[in-house]
Amino acid sequence: MEESRKLESSIDRLLNEEKQMRLAENVAGTRKAATEILKLCFEAKDWKLLNEQILNLSKKRGQLKQAVQSMVQQAMQYIDQTLDIETRIELIKTLNNVAAGKIYVEIERARLTKMLAKIKEEQGLIAEAADLMQEVAVETFGAMAKTEKIAFILEQVRLCLDQKDFVRAQILSRKINPRVFDADTTKEKKKPKEGENMVEEAPADIPTLLVLKRIYYELMIRYYSHNNEYIEICRSYKAIYDIPSVKENPEQWIPVLRKICWFLALAPHDPMQSSLLNATLEDKKLSEIPDFKMLLKQIVTMEVIQWTSLWNKYKDEFENEKNMIGGSLGDKAGEDLKLRIIEHNILVVSKYYSRITFKRLAELLCLTTEEAEKHLSEMVVSKALIAKIDRPSGIICFQIVKDSNEILNSWATNLEKLLDLVEKSCHQIHKETMVHKVALRA
């Protein structure tokens, strides 16, 4: 009882002192009195009184911004020293209420929200944690460090992916420009001019920009895996592969390069896939995993690939991906790989044949005529190639039907080339006669 009376009298004395300093607009004095009150409550371990005093002091008439900021910052240091989880949540909620709508404590509010979301996640309330995090738009905070902003947005994306909210995860991920990870961190920071906002230093627990880059692309791989967007997954792995810390460690870059090769094989044929495929083949490190170099060379070479022999060769490697970084390639990956090989073979056939029978095409693809027709039709619909099917006679024509103008233009071009050759030949004959002084017979 005596201790509680002493605490009350000390708080009353400090409250009077705080009032005098506040009315006199003495920033340092108000700040000191307010923080001393919180310190007394904390030392007495009276958490209820601490919450009351925080709310009481923040609602005082004409309360100074600096005093509120100092109170919130000091009270945040006490969060980790609370006795139980309920007390901790209560203190965080109190500080959140004080910081709500106040631009000068927006960074503190973001950090408090992150703490509360972490507690909710530990309790298994992922949806609540995600909703809490989405209430804060850190991209508008001018004084927050770049790395802290990125880390906060990545946490928002992760929680959305955990609760299978892929639409919101995509929207949030677009708030981060991937170019920000390529910024040169060795450059000295410019000193802010007068009147500009001071950017706070990021807390010690915030990862570096390169670590955040890896986290970002790992989350994007999770997002793209939902829709089996193989080319985007491959690009994400390529970005991870280009991180210096990954390139220097064979235990890290070998599994990542394997994943790049697999997803290039799984991706549908298009200009981007072709560009990435050629760039990967030029990588000297690929020679350290010769089986995968052979796989990519087979895809690039315009020759028919036998699916059974390819699958027998790479089946064990395919299954082994489960134990590598990034886990398995997905449930549909085996079926999609077979489909890509069939598409590759159809493209090869279209290069070598202008007309072919269904029976012969099915033999080359190791499929039934019905399956061959199905895959060919799908490729024609997706505009991957041009073909016409004569079903009664069972003939496929890969030639493009030209109109009369195109035919006449091609004839004119051919005639022009022919006349050029005739002219060059005449010139060479005339040159030889001049050199050897041979008289041409009329």
Side-chain angles (χ1 to χ4, degrees):
M1 287 293 286
E2 235 178 275
E3 283 179 9
S4 63
R5 279 175 192 169
K6 276 183 184 178
L7 181 63
E8 280 176 26
S9 63
S10 300
I11 289 170
D12 289 339
R13 180 176 55 77
L14 284 166
L15 282 169
N16 288 327
E17 191 183 321
E18 183 270 336
K19 185 180 180 181
Q20 288 169 7
M21 294 295 177
R22 175 164 42 85
L23 295 173
E25 293 188 358
N26 185 334
V27 174
T30 312
R31 189 187 285 167
K32 189 182 176 185
T35 51
E36 279 294 321
I37 292 166
L38 301 190
K39 193 178 177 183
L40 285 171
C41 295
F42 170 68
E43 286 171 355
K45 300 294 178 189
D46 193 338
W47 299 104
K48 191 179 178 185
L49 185 62
L50 177 66
N51 289 330
E52 286 172 6
Q53 289 301 328
I54 291 167
L55 289 169
N56 181 29
L57 288 163
S58 67
K59 289 176 181 176
K60 294 279 186 184
R61 183 167 166 261
Q63 185 58 276
L64 302 173
K65 292 177 183 179
Q66 293 89 337
V68 174
Q69 194 173 24
S70 295
M71 279 195 307
V72 172
Q73 286 171 353
Q74 184 163 334
M76 281 176 73
Q77 295 171 11
Y78 303 150
I79 291 169
D80 292 332
Q81 299 175 51
T82 47
L83 300 169
D84 51 44
I85 202 79
E86 285 78 17
T87 311
R88 188 174 297 181
I89 291 168
E90 196 60 41
L91 180 55
I92 292 170
K93 283 182 176 177
T94 303
L95 291 170
N96 252 335
N97 290 337
V98 171
K102 295 181 178 72
I103 201 164
Y104 50 90
V105 282
E106 61 185 6
I107 295 173
E108 284 77 9
R109 183 166 179 262
R111 288 170 186 168
L112 287 162
T113 306
K114 196 174 178 181
M115 285 180 198
L116 190 57
K118 192 178 179 183
I119 292 165
K120 294 285 182 189
E121 190 184 0
E122 284 168 1
Q123 292 174 341
L125 305 167
I126 294 168
E128 278 187 43
D131 291 340
L132 278 168
M133 289 291 280
Q134 283 159 41
E135 286 174 12
V136 186
V138 288
E139 63 275 10
T140 62
F141 295 1
M144 187 181 265
K146 189 203 298 182
T147 49
E148 193 175 356
K149 277 185 195 179
I150 294 166
F152 195 94
I153 295 167
L154 290 176
E155 193 65 16
Q156 290 176 327
V157 174
R158 184 185 66 79
L159 286 167
C160 287
L161 289 173
D162 286 349
Q163 63 165 349
K164 311 290 183 191
D165 190 349
F166 295 102
V167 175
R168 195 167 271 115
Q170 186 193 24
I171 293 163
L172 290 166
S173 69
R174 284 179 179 172
K175 291 180 180 180
I176 299 171
N177 186 348
R179 287 181 189 173
V180 80
F181 299 117
D182 301 325
D184 190 0
T185 51
T186 57
K187 285 182 181 179
E188 287 185 10
K189 291 179 183 177
K190 290 180 182 178
K191 289 182 180 178
K193 296 173 185 177
E194 283 185 31
E196 285 186 349
N197 286 335
M198 287 284 287
V199 177
E200 284 192 18
E201 287 290 325
D205 62 332
I206 299 295
T208 60
L209 208 57
L210 288 173
V211 175
L212 289 170
K213 180 180 181 178
R214 180 158 191 166
I215 295 166
Y216 169 77
Y217 283 110
E218 281 171 354
L219 288 171
M220 294 318 294
I221 288 163
R222 279 181 64 189
Y223 169 71
Y224 292 128
S225 299
H226 167 64
N227 292 325
N228 294 324
E229 294 178 48
Y230 296 123
I231 195 69
E232 293 300 334
I233 297 169
C234 177
R235 287 176 70 194
S236 298
Y237 273 116
K238 190 84 172 68
I240 293 170
Y241 178 70
D242 290 335
I243 296 169
S245 60
V246 174
K247 271 195 168 179
E248 289 163 11
N249 187 355
E251 288 182 7
Q252 289 192 30
W253 69 255
I254 288 174
V256 173
L257 190 56
R258 283 169 62 106
K259 283 283 194 293
I260 291 168
C261 295
W262 277 122
F263 286 111
L264 278 170
L266 287 164
H269 180 77
D270 62 14
M272 188 183 286
Q273 186 256 8
S274 183
S275 172
L276 279 169
L277 194 61
N278 290 316
T280 308
L281 276 167
E282 286 170 14
D283 192 339
K284 290 176 183 177
K285 288 184 177 180
L286 192 63
S287 56
E288 292 191 32
I289 41 173
D291 286 348
F292 287 89
K293 190 174 185 178
M294 188 63 71
L295 174 68
L296 295 188
K297 275 191 173 177
Q298 276 186 284
I299 294 166
V300 169
T301 310
M302 283 311 239
E303 290 180 8
V304 172
I305 301 167
Q306 292 295 325
W307 165 248
T308 49
S309 60
L310 181 102
W311 183 243
N312 290 336
K313 186 179 178 180
Y314 290 99
K315 189 179 180 181
D316 294 335
E317 295 284 2
F318 190 87
E319 296 293 331
N320 198 31
E321 286 299 320
K322 291 175 184 175
N323 309 319
M324 295 279 183
I325 293 170
S328 64
L329 299 169
D331 302 329
K332 276 185 80 235
E335 296 169 25
D336 288 336
L337 183 63
K338 187 178 180 181
L339 182 63
R340 293 291 99 82
I341 298 301
I342 292 166
E343 286 174 1
H344 166 84
N345 291 343
I346 291 170
L347 284 168
V348 170
V349 170
S350 71
K351 292 277 181 191
Y352 288 105
Y353 289 85
S354 57
R355 297 173 81 228
I356 191 170
T357 61
F358 260 127
K359 190 181 176 184
R360 179 66 180 140
L361 179 68
E363 280 175 19
L364 289 167
L365 299 177
C366 301
L367 299 170
T368 62
T369 51
E370 289 80 11
E371 285 174 336
E373 185 181 353
K374 176 178 168 282
H375 290 299
L376 179 67
S377 303
E378 283 172 0
M379 286 186 77
V380 171
V381 169
S382 64
K383 297 184 179 178
L385 58 81
I386 295 164
K388 284 198 172 183
I389 302 167
D390 184 354
R391 293 188 79 183
S393 56
I395 293 171
I396 303 150
C397 183
F398 292 110
Q399 284 181 327
I400 303 164
V401 178
K402 293 179 181 178
D403 62 8
S404 54
N405 289 329
E406 285 177 342
I407 292 165
L408 285 168
N409 286 337
S410 67
W411 285 356
T413 308
N414 291 339
L415 280 169
E416 198 175 327
K417 285 178 182 175
L418 178 65
L419 291 168
D420 281 343
L421 287 167
V422 169
E423 193 177 340
K424 280 179 185 175
S425 302
C426 290
H427 179 72
Q428 290 293 333
I429 292 163
H430 186 65
K431 186 181 173 183
E432 289 292 316
T433 56
M434 292 292 286
V435 169
H436 299 290
K437 294 178 183 179
V438 177
L440 287 169
R441 289 177 184 177

